[in-house]
Amino acid sequence: DAEVVLLGRSNVGKSTLMRELTGHTFSTGGKPGVTRAPNHYDWAPESFVLTDLPGFGFMEGVPEERREQIKTDIVHYLEEYADDILVGVLVVDGKSVVDIIDRHSARDELPHDVELFHFLEELGIPAVVAVNKMDKVDDRDERLNALCERLGLLPPWQQWQDTIAPITAKRGSIDPLTEAVRTHLHDAKRDDLF
Ligand code: GDP
C-alpha cells in the first residue's frame, strides 16, 4: 500500500499533527518511550496510509538503551517498507531543532534528525521536514535558513518548499506540509506511468 510515514523526536507535536491531518483524536498520553507498533491511518481524500512511528531521542525517565532500541526499530521499519513509502515526513520543533543539532555536532555525534533525513534520501524516500511550532519562532527566515544549512540544503529555504514545510500544527496551519507531500505523491504517480 502507498504509505506516508511520520517520524520525529518525542514532543515535537507528532500527535497534534496526526490529529490535524486525519481529523481523529489520538491519545498523546501513555508512557513515553514505550514502543508502539507503527499506527496506520487513512488520510482522506488522498488514498494512502499515514504511519505514525514512535518518537525518538531524549525522553524523561526513559533509559538510553530503550531509546537506542526505538531508533533501531525506526531504521528497520524504513528499510523494510522503503518500496511502499512515498514520502517520509520528519517532524521537528522549529524553536529548538537547530540548537539540538548543533549541541550534538559539538560533541562529534551525528544528530538523529540529520541522520534520519539522510537515511531517507539513501533509501530513495523523498523527505519532507515539517518544521513545527513556528508560532514560537520570531526569526523565521533565519531559523529556516540555518536548518537548511544543517541538512546540507543551500539557503534560502524558500528554494526548498517541497522539502521544508514550516507549520503550526496546534493551530491547524499545516498547508505548506500538505502541499509539499502532494507534490511528492504526484511525482510518484507520474513515475509510475513510465
Ligand atoms: P508528540 O510527542 O510529538 O506526539 O507531541 P504532542 O503532539 O504530544 O505535542 C507535544 C507538545 O507540543 C504539546 O504540549 C502540544 O500542545 C505542543 N504543540 C504541538 N504543536 C504545537 C505548535 O504548533 N505550537 C506550539 N507552540 N506547541 C505545539
Side-chain angles (χ1 to χ4, degrees), residues 8-48:
R9 290 180 177 280
S10 59
N11 213 42
V12 293
K14 252 158 27 80
S15 315
T16 307
L17 178 59
M18 275 304 271
R19 196 157 58 231
E20 282 304 321
L21 289 170
T22 63
H24 298 294
T25 306
F26 306 99
S27 87
T28 52
K31 275 199 208 149
V34 172
T35 306
R36 301 171 284 170
N39 293 310
H40 301 269
Y41 306 98
D42 285 317
W43 185 10
E46 308 272 352
S47 79
F48 55 81

Side-chain angles (χ1 to χ4, degrees), residues 128-178:
V128 175
V129 184
V131 191
N132 192 29
K133 308 196 187 184
M134 288 304 290
D135 57 312
K136 296 203 295 183
V137 175
D138 302 322
D139 50 348
R140 183 184 166 89
D141 289 342
E142 290 92 305
R143 279 279 132 177
L144 293 170
N145 285 339
L147 176 60
C148 279
E149 280 172 3
R150 304 312 186 271
L151 295 174
L153 307 172
L154 192 68
W157 73 270
Q158 287 91 342
Q159 296 193 103
W160 300 100
Q161 298 197 31
D162 292 350
T163 308
I164 301 290
I167 60 169
T168 298
K170 202 168 80 172
R171 295 191 191 148
S173 347
I174 58 167
D175 287 353
L177 175 63
T178 48

Side-chain angles (χ1 to χ4, degrees), residues 115-127 151-153 163:
E115 185 182 5
L116 286 170
F117 179 77
H118 292 304
F119 188 60
L120 288 169
E121 275 184 340
E122 263 172 51
L123 293 174
I125 302 172
L151 295 174
L153 307 172
T163 308

